[in-house]
C-alpha cells in the first residue's frame, strides 16, 4: 500500500472515529448528567429492558467512556464491540417496534452507528490514534 493511500485511510478512519466518539460521548453524558442514571434505569424498566439498572449503567458507561476512547483512539476494537452490543440492545428493546426511520423513533440511527463501529473497529487507526502509539510494535496484517 502506498504511503499516501495509507495516510488517507488513516485520516478517514480518524474522522469517522472522532465523529462516532462525539455521538456516543454525548449520549453517555445525557444518561449520566442530563437525565441521571436512575431516571434512565426507570425508563428502561418501562420499556421492559432486561435488568434495567444494570443495562442503564452498561449503556451509560459504554457511551460515555467508550465515546471518549473512540475520540482519542484507545482500545478501538474493544469499544466497537461494546458499542455494537449497546446499539443492538437499543434496536431490540427500544426502536424495533417503531419501524426503520429515525424520525418515527425507528432503528435507523443505531443501525448506522453499528455500521460505523464495524468500519472503525477493523480499520487502520492512523497516526492520530492512541492505539497506534501504544501498540506500534505489533505485527501488521496486510491484505
Amino acid at each position: 500500500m502506498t504511503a499516501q493511500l495509507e495516510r488517507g485511510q488513516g485520516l478517514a478512519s480518524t474522522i469517522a472515529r472522532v465523529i462516532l466518539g462525539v455521538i456516543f460521548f454525548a449520549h453517555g453524558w445525557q444518561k449520566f448528567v442530563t437525565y441521571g442514571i436512575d431516571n434512565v434505569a426507570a425508563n428502561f424498566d418501562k420499556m421492559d429492558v432486561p435488568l434495567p439498572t444494570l443495562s442503564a449503567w452498561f449503556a451509560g458507561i459504554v457511551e460515555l467512556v467508550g465515546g471518549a476512547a473512540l475520540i482519542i483512539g484507545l482500545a478501538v476494537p474493544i469499544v466497537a464491540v461494546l458499542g455494537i452490543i449497546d446499539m443492538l440492545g437499543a434496536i431490540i428493546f427500544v426502536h424495533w417496534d417503531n419501524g426503520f426511520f429515525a424520525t418515527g423513533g425507528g432503528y435507523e440511527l443505531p443501525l448506522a452507528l453499528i455500521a460505523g463501529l464495524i468500519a472503525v473497529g477493523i480499520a487502520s487507526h492512523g497516526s492520530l490514534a492512541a492505539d497506534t502509539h501504544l501498540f506500534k510494535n505489533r505485527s501488521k496484517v496486510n491484505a
Side-chain angles (χ1 to χ4, degrees), residues 81-94:
V81 168
L82 293 172
I84 289 167
I85 292 167
D86 182 36
M87 290 299 95
L88 286 172
I91 289 170
I92 293 166
F93 296 107
V94 179

Side-chain angles (χ1 to χ4, degrees), residues 8-25:
Q9 288 178 344
L11 179 61
S13 177
T14 298
I15 292 168
R17 187 173 42 73
V18 169
I19 290 169
L20 286 166
V22 168
I23 292 167
F24 276 98
F25 185 87

Side-chain angles (χ1 to χ4, degrees), residues 50-72:
L51 304 168
T53 300
L54 180 63
S55 296
W57 277 96
F58 176 81
I61 290 170
V62 166
E63 292 169 12
L64 186 72
V65 176
L70 286 173
I71 291 167
I72 65 171

Side-chain angles (χ1 to χ4, degrees), residues 3 11 31 46 62 66 79 85 111 114 120 130 136 143:
L11 179 61
K31 283 177 177 61
K46 290 178 189 172
V62 166
V79 171
I85 292 167
L111 192 62
I114 288 172
V120 300
K136 62 184 166 189

